[in-house]
C-alpha cells in the first residue's frame, strides 16, 4: 500500500541503487538520521527506526536541480533515430519521483504524530507545504493556468491604463492619450489570446485515462497511463528528438506520462507519448504487467485489467474515479 512506502524504498534496494542513489536526495535535503521516527523497510508500520530531517532550499524544485541518479534509466540520448528511446523522458520520471517524495513526506508526518514527535512532525509538515506549493506552481505553469494568470494581469494593466487615459484627456494631453490608447488596444488583443489559450487547455479532452493500459502504435510496447498534459510540456530539444513536428497534431495535443512494461523494454520504463501514438485494445487486457512504480501509484487492477490510481494521483490531475460499466448479463435476476 502507498501508506507503507518510504523514501528509503525509492532510493535503496538490494543491489545498492535500483531506483537511484540517496546521495542526490541527501545533497539537496541534507538527510540526517535520527532514532525512533521513520519506517523500517522490513516492517513498515511496526518498527520506527529512522527520521529524515529536511534542511533544504525551498527553491530546489524551481531550479530543477533535483535529479534522480538513475543513469541506467536514461542511457544514451545522442541517438537521433526514431525508436522507443526517442520518447523516454527524464522530466516525466522526475515528476513521478517527486510525487512519490510528496507522498513519503505525508506518511512521515503521520508517523511522527503517531509517535508524539510533534516538533519533528511540524518540521516535516512545513517541508511538505513548501514542496506542495512549488508543485502547484509548476502544475499551473505546465498546464496552462499561467495563461489565465497572464490574462488576469493584462486585464489589471488595462484598467490602470484606462484611468491614466482619462486623466490625460482631462488634462488635454492628447499625445499621451493617443499612446495610451495604442497600449490598451495591444493589451486587449494579448489578453484575449491568453484567455482563449487558457480556456482551450483547461477544457482539453483526453482519449485515455489514468491507469488505463495502452499500446504504442509504432513501437508495440504495452504501457499504463500515469500522467497527462493538455499539450506537450517537454523542451524543444526533446521534441526535436521525438520528431513531434511530424505528428498529425504536432505538439498541440494531449501528451501522456506512461509506465512501460519492463518485459517489453527494461531500459525505457517512463516515456512521454503523444495521444496520436497510443491506442487501446478492443478487449480487456488482463495479461501480466510489471513496473517498479506500480505499487505506489495504483491500488491494483480492476475487473477490466486496468489499474486503479490512488486518490492522490487522481487529485493531482483532477480526475474522477473510473467506474467499470455493469454488464447486464452479470446482474442476478430479480
Amino acid at each position: 500500500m502507498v501508506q507503507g512506502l518510504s523514501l528509503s524504498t525509492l532510493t535503496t534496494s538490494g543491489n545498492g541503487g535500483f531506483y537511484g542513489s540517496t546521495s542526490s536526495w541527501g545533497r539537496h535535503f541534507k538527510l540526517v538520521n535520527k532514532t525512533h521516527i521513520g519506517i523500517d523497510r522490513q516492517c513498515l508500520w511496526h518498527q520506527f527506526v529512522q527520521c529524515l530531517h529536511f534542511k533544504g532550499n525551498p527553491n530546489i524544485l524551481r531550479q530543477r536541480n533535483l535529479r534522480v541518479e538513475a543513469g541506467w534509466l536514461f542511457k544514451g540520448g545522442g541517438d537521433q533515430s526514431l525508436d522507443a528511446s526517442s520518447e523516454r523522458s527524464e522530466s516525466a520520471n522526475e515528476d513521478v519521483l517527486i510525487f512519490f517524495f510528496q507522498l513519503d513526506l505525508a506518511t512521515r508526518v503521520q508517523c511522527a504524530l503517531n509517535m508524539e514527535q510533534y516538533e519533528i512532525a511540524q518540521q516535516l509538515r512545513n517541508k511538505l507545504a513548501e514542496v506542495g506549493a512549488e508543485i502547484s506552481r509548476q502544475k499551473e505553469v505546465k498546464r496552462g493556468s499561467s495563461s489565465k494568470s497572464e490574462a488576469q494581469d493584462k486585464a489589471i494593466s488595462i484598467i490602470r491604463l484606462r484611468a491614466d487615459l482619462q486623466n490625460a484627456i482631462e488634462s488635454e494631453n492628447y499625445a499621451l492619450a493617443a499612446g495610451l490608447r495604442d497600449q490598451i488596444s495591444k493589451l486587449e488583443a494579448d489578453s484575449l489570446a491568453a484567455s482563449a489559450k487558457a480556456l482551450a487547455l483547461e477544457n482539453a479532452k483526453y482519449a485515455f485515462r489514468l491507469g488505463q493500459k495502452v499500446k504504442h502504435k509504432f513501437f508495440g510496447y504495452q504501457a499504463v497511463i500515469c500522467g497527462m498534459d493538455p499539450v506537450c510540456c517537454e523542451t524543444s530539444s526533446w521534441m526535436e528528438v521525438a520528431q513531434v513536428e511530424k505528428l498529425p497534431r504536432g505538439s498541440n495535443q494531449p501528451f501522456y506520462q506512461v509506465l512501460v512494461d519492463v518485459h517489453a523494454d527494461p531500459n525505457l520504463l517512463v516515456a512521454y507519448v503523444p495521444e496520436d501514438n497510443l491506442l487501446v485494445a478492443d478487449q480487456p487486457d488482463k495479461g501480466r504487467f510489471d513496473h517498479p512504480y506500480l505499487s505506489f501509484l495504483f491500488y491494483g487492477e480492476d475487473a477490466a485489467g486496468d489499474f486503479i490510481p490512488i486518490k492522490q494521483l487522481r487529485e493531482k490531475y483532477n480526475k474522477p474515479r473510473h467506474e467499470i460499466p455493469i454488464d447486464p448479463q452479470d446482474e442476478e435476476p430479480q
Side-chain angles (χ1 to χ4, degrees):
M1 295 179 64
V2 173
Q3 290 83 355
L5 293 170
S6 73
L7 185 60
S8 57
T9 308
L10 175 71
T11 57
T12 309
S13 68
N15 64 8
F18 186 76
Y19 298 95
S21 168
T22 54
S23 61
S24 179
W25 296 89
R27 181 168 62 254
H28 295 291
F29 290 94
K30 299 180 182 178
L31 310 186
V32 179
N33 291 329
K34 294 185 180 180
T35 58
H36 305 302
I37 191 76
I39 308 174
D40 189 323
R41 293 191 303 277
Q42 302 299 322
C43 189
L44 297 175
W45 287 105
H46 301 290
Q47 297 180 6
F48 301 97
V49 297
Q50 285 184 322
C51 168
L52 292 183
H53 181 50
F54 299 92
K55 302 177 181 178
N57 183 345
N59 295 322
I60 289 171
L61 298 180
R62 182 178 297 109
Q63 296 167 354
R64 303 296 285 175
N65 287 331
L66 186 59
R67 289 291 182 269
V68 180
E69 294 179 358
W72 63 276
L73 272 176
F74 305 105
K75 291 179 181 177
D79 185 7
Q80 300 297 308
S81 63
L82 188 60
D83 56 19
S85 65
S86 64
E87 292 179 342
R88 63 186 172 191
S89 172
E90 183 177 352
S91 62
N93 180 70
E94 181 182 282
D95 186 62
V96 173
L97 294 182
I98 291 175
F99 175 69
F100 175 85
F101 178 51
Q102 190 178 28
L103 292 179
D104 183 79
L105 275 174
T107 298
R108 291 180 179 277
V109 169
Q110 188 58 54
C111 289
L113 293 173
N114 292 343
M115 297 297 295
E116 299 184 355
Q117 300 284 348
Y118 300 118
E119 182 179 350
I120 293 175
Q122 187 58 48
Q123 293 174 352
L124 292 169
R125 195 180 277 129
N126 293 340
K127 179 54 62 178
L128 180 61
E130 291 176 3
V131 174
E134 182 56 28
I135 289 176
S136 296
R137 189 196 67 81
Q138 290 185 1
K139 178 181 176 182
E140 290 178 356
V141 172
K142 188 176 181 182
R143 290 176 174 78
S145 296
S146 59
S147 297
K148 184 185 297 184
S149 299
E150 180 184 354
Q152 292 172 346
D153 292 341
K154 291 183 183 300
I156 294 173
S157 298
I158 290 172
I159 293 174
R160 292 172 178 170
L161 286 174
R162 282 176 177 167
D164 294 339
L165 174 62
Q166 184 62 34
N167 292 333
I169 293 174
E170 291 176 355
S171 62
E172 298 183 355
N173 190 343
Y174 300 116
L176 176 60
L180 290 172
R181 283 196 189 96
D182 292 340
Q183 292 183 48
I184 291 173
S185 297
K186 184 178 185 305
L187 279 175
E188 285 177 338
D190 293 343
S191 178
L192 182 62
S195 298
K197 180 181 178 182
L199 183 62
L201 294 179
E202 187 175 333
N203 296 328
K205 303 297 183 182
Y206 296 94
F208 308 102
R209 65 179 184 275
L210 292 173
Q212 188 173 17
K213 285 183 180 177
V214 292
K215 185 176 181 180
H216 201 287
K217 287 182 181 179
F218 306 108
F219 306 140
Y221 63 71
Q222 189 179 43
V224 171
I225 303 292
C226 69
M228 53 187 62
D229 296 316
V231 295
C232 184
C233 297
E234 267 286 0
T235 63
S236 57
S237 60
W238 183 93
M239 286 190 278
E240 182 178 354
V241 171
Q243 299 184 18
V244 172
E245 75 284 354
K246 295 184 179 180
L247 295 168
R249 291 186 287 168
S251 61
N252 293 317
Q253 63 173 303
F255 274 67
Y256 299 85
Q257 295 177 5
V258 301
L259 307 182
V260 181
D261 186 359
V262 295
H263 301 291
D265 192 335
N267 295 318
L268 185 54
L269 286 191
V270 181
Y272 194 57
V273 187
E275 195 170 83
D276 284 343
N277 288 354
L278 293 175
L279 55 83
V280 63
D282 295 332
Q283 298 297 325
D285 186 352
K286 299 183 181 180
R288 180 178 178 180
F289 188 97
D290 290 319
H291 195 284
Y293 296 171
L294 286 176
S295 61
F296 68 85
L297 292 176
F298 305 101
Y299 291 123
E301 293 187 66
D302 59 22
D306 293 320
F307 287 90
I308 305 171
I310 63 173
K311 179 182 178 182
Q312 295 92 329
L313 186 61
R314 298 198 309 271
E315 291 175 346
K316 177 181 179 181
Y317 292 99
N318 193 28
K319 298 298 179 184
R321 177 165 178 165
H322 174 69
E323 301 292 341
I324 301 176
I326 299 177
D327 188 342
Q329 297 181 352
D330 295 336
E331 295 183 344
E332 296 182 0
Q334 299 294 329

